[in-house]
Structure formats: structure tokens, C-alpha cells
Amino acid sequence: MTLLKSNDISGISENLYKYNKSMFNKLGKSLAEVAMYAVNWEKGSYEDYIKNDLIAIVPITSGNGIIDGFSETIKNIIEITGFKAFVTDNSDVQGLEEAYKRRVKIIFIADDDKFIAINTCNYNIADNSFNTGRGYAAALDLMSGGLRDRTVVLIGAGSVGIGAASFMTAHGAKVLVYDILRQKAERLRDLFPEVEILTEFHSALKNNNLIFDATPAKNIIMKEYISESTLISAPGIPLGLEKDCMPIIKDRLIHDVLELGVVTMLFHALS
Ligand code: PYL
């Protein structure tokens, strides 16, 4: 997982309203609605939850320490869905104590290795990587008009790729997976036996137009792989597309730094 820096997230909060609208214009669903689709939300309208449930974000000082703006950005992303959220005054254990004393429903905490959301009532734990994969796969499904019987090239078989594969296989896609570490691709196929392992991904990218980039690699998707019908889901940074792909892919790309993954975590933790 690439560790974010403060300037990776500095522009997110002030663009949230615009980003949520652009998501609706592109996919016909808001961030919250894409997330609900991703986690197979079966609890009807979430208005009741908005009224009653409070969300806390607890800054964590371990490892590389607090990322300036991270907790506040998570709070703002959660609030764009209508939920009330706050960043605890204290970090670490004191922050956890503060959250529990305020009887919050969901607690978001992140150290250098894991970012999770905990449901204090039903003990649900939502992992950011897995849910980012599911949220982005749901977005690819919506952007493509439905993944059933479609082939998707999944590059990267880590936690994000596993989350993506869980959604895509459940929605009838044929998933071709490549990972530079074959044993990670084999682990993913053990979880989803219908997945096919690729020994290289270049020809698969040339012959298929649905791509999921679940790697932290730069410049692995070149413009010769992109056609007018290519659709790409590429969560997080760095973005795996070469710069000269952008004029060709245009808005047939789903990409953000944190937003869709955080909202999908929220609805997974609430579900
Ligand atoms: C969750 C992001 C997505 C990509 N990389 C992950 C990352 O940078 N994780 C580290 C988050 C550390 C947060 C810090 C704080 O401010 O509470 N402990």
C-alpha cells in the first residue's frame, strides 16, 4: 500500500460536492449509492441511519505518525453522504475512549499498514483495501452497463484486487488476473476458482476493453492498450495509466485517492 502524503489529499475536501455530482453524471449513482451497490446493501433507505448514527475518526500516531489533513478529509468524505462525523480531540487510545464515550456507531482508524472502520454494535470490520476494490468494481459494472458475461483484466491480486474480484465474480464477469508475484494470483484463484491466471497482461490488455488496475505501479497501462471502448477502474495513487492515455480514455476512467473506498467502507461497516 502506498503511504499517502498530506499533499496527496489536500484537494479532496473542497472538491467533494463536485466529485459526488460527477459520479452521479457518469454512473447514474452518487458515491453513497455506488457504495450501497458494492456492498449489496439490503437495509432500504439509509436516511434512518443518518439521523441516529454518529461516526468518529481517531487519528493514530504510530509508525510514520499522523498525516496532516487525513482524518479531517475522511470526516468530510463521510459527511458528503449525509452522515454526521467528527475527528476526536485526542489520538490513539484516548481518542478511542472519547469515541466510545460519545457512543458512536462507527470508528475509523488507520495506521501505516491498515485502515479499518469498526461497527461498535455488530462488530463488523470494514477494511479500506478490500472495500476500495469492491467499490471500484461496482463502479466499473455501472460504467459498463453490467459485467455479466464480460471479460475484465484485473492487474494486481492484493487486497484491493481480491475485493474487486469478489464483486466481479459475484456479478458474472470473467476475470483474468495478473500479478507480478504468481503466488498472489494463485491465492486469489483459490478464493475465486472461476478466475483465470495470466502469465503476462500486455496481450490481454490489447484484446479486452475492461481493465481494473489494482496495483501501486506507475505507467503500466500504455496508450496502445486504450481504444474508444476501453473502460478503466484505477483506485488510489499513483495512477497506473501513462499520461498520454488521458486524452484517449477521457472520462471512461474511475479514479480517486480515497473517496469511493472510504464511502464503501462506511456502508460495509453499517451493513
Ligand atoms: C488509506 C490510505 C490509502 C493509500 N494508502 C493508505 C495510507 O496512506 N495509509 C496510512 C494512513 C495513516 C494515517 C495516520 C493518521 O493520520 O491517523 N495514522
Side-chain angles (χ1 to χ4, degrees), residues 4-13 57 59 65-77 87 258:
L4 293 176
K5 294 187 216 43
S6 193
N7 61 8
D8 294 324
I9 52 181
S10 55
I12 291 175
S13 293
I57 303 96
I66 286 174
I67 299 175
D68 191 24
F70 178 80
S71 292
E72 197 60 28
T73 299
I74 303 301
K75 169 190 162 301
N76 295 331
I77 292 170
V87 179
L258 275 172

Side-chain angles (χ1 to χ4, degrees), residues 58 88 90-101 107 109:
V58 183
T88 56
N90 299 289
S91 63
D92 305 308
V93 177
Q94 267 195 297
L96 278 171
E97 181 188 34
E98 193 183 323
Y100 269 92
K101 282 183 172 169
I107 297 175
I109 48 173

Side-chain angles (χ1 to χ4, degrees), residues 130 133-134 154 156-167 187-188 191-192:
F130 181 81
R134 281 207 297 190
L154 170 62
S159 305
V160 174
I162 289 171
S166 74
F167 182 94
R187 180 187 61 170
L188 188 144
L191 293 169
F192 310 104

Side-chain angles (χ1 to χ4, degrees), residues 1-5 57-62 64-71 74 109-115 128 236-237 257-258:
M1 172 167 67
T2 315
L3 267 193
L4 293 176
K5 294 187 216 43
I57 303 96
V58 183
I60 301 295
T61 59
S62 65
N64 285 281
I66 286 174
I67 299 175
D68 191 24
F70 178 80
S71 292
I74 303 301
I109 48 173
D111 64 13
D112 292 355
D113 306 308
K114 272 190 92 65
F115 176 22
N128 172 257
I237 51 173
V257 175
L258 275 172

Side-chain angles (χ1 to χ4, degrees), residues 131-151:
N131 281 289
T132 295
R134 281 207 297 190
Y136 270 77
L140 187 63
D141 179 85
L142 292 164
M143 190 163 60
S144 66
L147 291 177
R148 183 157 300 285
D149 302 328
R150 303 284 297 274
T151 300

Side-chain angles (χ1 to χ4, degrees), residues 37-39 127-141 147 150 152-178 188 191-192 194-195 210-215 232-235 260 264:
Y37 180 47
V39 304
D127 175 78
N128 172 257
S129 298
F130 181 81
N131 281 289
T132 295
R134 281 207 297 190
Y136 270 77
L140 187 63
D141 179 85
L147 291 177
R150 303 284 297 274
V152 184
V153 180
L154 170 62
I155 315 170
S159 305
V160 174
I162 289 171
S166 74
F167 182 94
M168 298 193 291
T169 52
H171 285 77
K174 175 164 181 43
V175 177
L176 310 177
V177 65
Y178 172 81
L188 188 144
L191 293 169
F192 310 104
E194 63 272 51
V195 165
L210 298 181
I211 304 171
F212 194 112
D213 173 13
T215 75
I232 301 179
S233 253
L260 182 53
T264 307

Side-chain angles (χ1 to χ4, degrees), residues 254-268:
I254 308 280
H255 170 70
D256 67 35
V257 175
L258 275 172
E259 300 90 320
L260 182 53
V262 166
V263 177
T264 307
M265 279 171 87
L266 174 63
F267 282 92
H268 176 195

